[in-house]
Amino acid sequence: LKDINDTGGHQSGDLALQCVAKIVRDELRVIDFIGRYGGDEFLLVLDACDGNSAVMLLERLRERLCNKPMNVKDQELSVSFSAGIVSVTPGDALVLRDLLRRAETALAVSKDSGRNRTLVAPPPLPPTHTQAELPVVSTDAVSTSVIDPALMNN
């Protein structure tokens, strides 16, 4: 989306972001969450969605976004879609900072390996911090979450 901003101006970039957000929202369930993470990055939280289902959803989104140009200010614009997925299981004790770092790393690898792809972050390494040192989110009430800062700018 950076190229759209650079060539068509910020108004075109904003309209493209709105188109992308609508397409993503149309694919999500009522229990899912989408938010703008920064710039042209989005964060998705998919409740009760295992890693394989998240990959299928994000691949469907990628195909939809990449194969159908958007009409923005009478111009047909295409976007690429790269995603990094973090999957967690019920009962995991999680540090949000670590989840975001893993998602951002998976996204960076996705972009560095040719863009326009979805990659799942490997499982976390054993914790190096105690729960007392860092804020922890319990996933006892959440079956599975995926964090996806999609369409991120380098």
Side-chain angles (χ1 to χ4, degrees):
L1 291 172
K2 180 182 183 317
D3 291 341
I4 295 171
N5 271 340
D6 291 346
T7 59
H10 290 288
Q11 186 179 19
S12 292
D14 289 347
L15 291 171
L17 279 171
Q18 291 171 14
C19 289
V20 168
K22 182 184 180 332
I23 290 169
V24 173
R25 272 194 321 267
D26 288 348
E27 291 288 334
L28 296 181
R29 303 163 300 169
V30 175
I31 62 173
D32 297 328
F33 169 81
I34 177 175
R36 192 164 173 195
Y37 186 62
D40 56 359
E41 305 166 16
F42 292 89
L43 177 73
L44 303 177
V45 177
L46 307 174
D47 189 18
C49 183
D50 63 31
N52 290 334
S53 297
V55 169
M56 290 187 333
L57 167 70
L58 290 171
E59 280 299 297
R60 193 168 57 243
L61 281 171
R62 187 184 64 75
E63 288 177 18
R64 221 174 133 192
L65 287 165
C66 297
N67 294 330
K68 185 177 180 204
M70 294 178 269
N71 189 347
V72 175
K73 294 175 71 175
D74 296 326
Q75 285 187 303
E76 284 203 348
L77 304 173
S78 297
V79 296
S80 65
F81 179 92
S82 300
I85 296 175
V86 175
S87 182
V88 296
T89 56
D92 285 350
L94 307 169
V95 177
L96 290 178
R97 179 180 61 202
D98 293 340
L99 285 173
L100 292 172
R101 185 177 18 242
R102 289 176 52 220
E104 288 172 345
T105 299
L107 176 63
V109 171
S110 174
K111 292 171 87 174
D112 290 346
S113 59
R115 295 185 176 266
N116 211 26
R117 64 191 68 224
T118 300
L119 293 179
V120 178
L125 297 173
T128 57
H129 305 285
T130 66
Q131 288 186 353
E133 293 175 304
L134 297 169
V136 174
V137 173
S138 171
T139 59
D140 291 333
V142 178
S143 54
T144 305
S145 298
V146 175
I147 295 180
D148 172 16
L151 304 171
M152 189 171 155
N153 222 351
N154 271 344

